[in-house]
Amino acid sequence: MVAVFPTARLRTSPFYDSAVAEGMTAASIYNRMIMPTSYGDPEAEYWRIIEGVSQWDVGVERQVQLKGRDAGRLAQILAARDLSRCKHGQGKYVPICNHRGTVFNDPILLKHSDDLYWFSIADNDLWLWANAIVAERGLDVEVSEPDVSPMALQGPKAEDVVASVLGDWVRELKYFWFRDSEIEGIPITVQRSGWSKQGGFEIYLKDGTKGTQLWNIFKEAGQPYGIGPGAPATAERTESGLVSVGGDTDADTNPFEVRMGSYVSLDVPDDTLGIAALRRIASEGPKRHQLGLILEGSTPEPLGFSWEDIRVNGKTAGHMTNCVWSPRMKANIGYALIGVEQQAGGTVEIDRKSGPCAARLVELPFL
Ligand code: THG
């Protein structure tokens, strides 16, 4: 382990000590925080998500809190998705776009009440953006980053673990719905969510001094189910077709290009950020789209995120935005962000660092 010296520029989550105690061997940076990415056995960590239950320190998923009379108005200005029917206790996946219609964050919005919302953000400073909008538009709302840190339990056995700790009411929660609760006096919010398609919950810790205690409660309850530490897994999320905004997108990517069109509402008020550009793009039709790539060969390749060129008849037609070995498909798979002329069923060549590689275009998700 390297030594880490937390500062304002490199923060740790309340679960960091637990991650270290569990044997964390690799980490990444997300929202200027350390995000554990492996505990030394990626294969076992993957299968735990697919077949069992995996416990993740995802405290890096920070909350941008909107509080005050104009909280709902600000949420709708920021998010290009109709929120008018969003209920208290409901979460929604929302693209955040700039004035050009570029999607630069894709939070889950949690509506606590008419004057209290959280955006559970991906990796960049939505806080800065939201504050600028508040000042520019003269809104009556306070934007802050509260002491809230999610921990995820993912996999087919996650529900049994969470129910054994909190009660059977959690089984009734619908996707992205949430409820406030507490366990051993620790305040939490419980949501059916998580960055995998294997099912599960996120437990939002609302007292950063209690991270180790909360981690251990779920770790102990998970023992009969074979719980173990893990992290958002590139192989699982790629097989499942989940988008990583900032990873699979660039400074020109709009939501329609990356299968997020169903989360955009064109009939939101005209003061919603990016909506004029999104309406224009929707009427003209996007120029690129996102497809899956199945690469030739059956030797696992290292993870790739370098936007390698995709060639068709010797010409660049798009980019491979990620690449990972799929244990279930026994192939290297990735996403193409590619001109709409190229369709599923087509064959392309990827200009890999290791040399050219043939690949087949398929619809997403893979599984
Ligand atoms: N949980 C929480 N916060 C987060 C994430 C999370 N913040 C950062 C990041 N992840 C945000 N991005 C996503 C991306 C996809 C999904 C959730 C958060 C997701 N999508 C499903 C899909 O695309 O199939 C379902 C979307 C739907 O049908 O509404 O789950 O994971 N707290």
Side-chain angles (χ1 to χ4, degrees), residues 163-217:
S164 76
V165 174
L166 296 172
D168 278 332
W169 62 268
V170 302
R171 299 186 191 277
E172 311 304 321
L173 275 180
K174 289 180 280 182
Y175 203 67
F176 283 160
W177 286 68
F178 61 91
R179 222 170 96 178
D180 291 334
S181 184
E182 62 162 55
I183 179 73
E184 294 181 11
I186 307 171
I188 55 176
T189 296
V190 182
Q191 183 178 37
R192 189 186 290 275
S193 56
W195 210 55
S196 87
K197 281 297 210 179
Q198 308 311 314
F201 292 80
E202 288 177 298
I203 315 294
Y204 295 72
L205 168 66
K206 294 194 281 189
D207 175 350
T209 67
K210 301 279 168 57
T212 303
Q213 192 186 343
L214 188 72
W215 183 275
N216 287 334
I217 289 169

Side-chain angles (χ1 to χ4, degrees), residues 320-343:
M320 176 166 74
T321 61
N322 65 339
C323 183
V324 63
W325 173 255
S326 161
R328 283 182 290 173
M329 295 173 63
K330 304 221 176 333
N332 296 299
I333 60 172
Y335 292 171
L337 186 56
I338 193 166
V340 290
E341 323 75 61
Q342 306 303 327
Q343 295 284 333

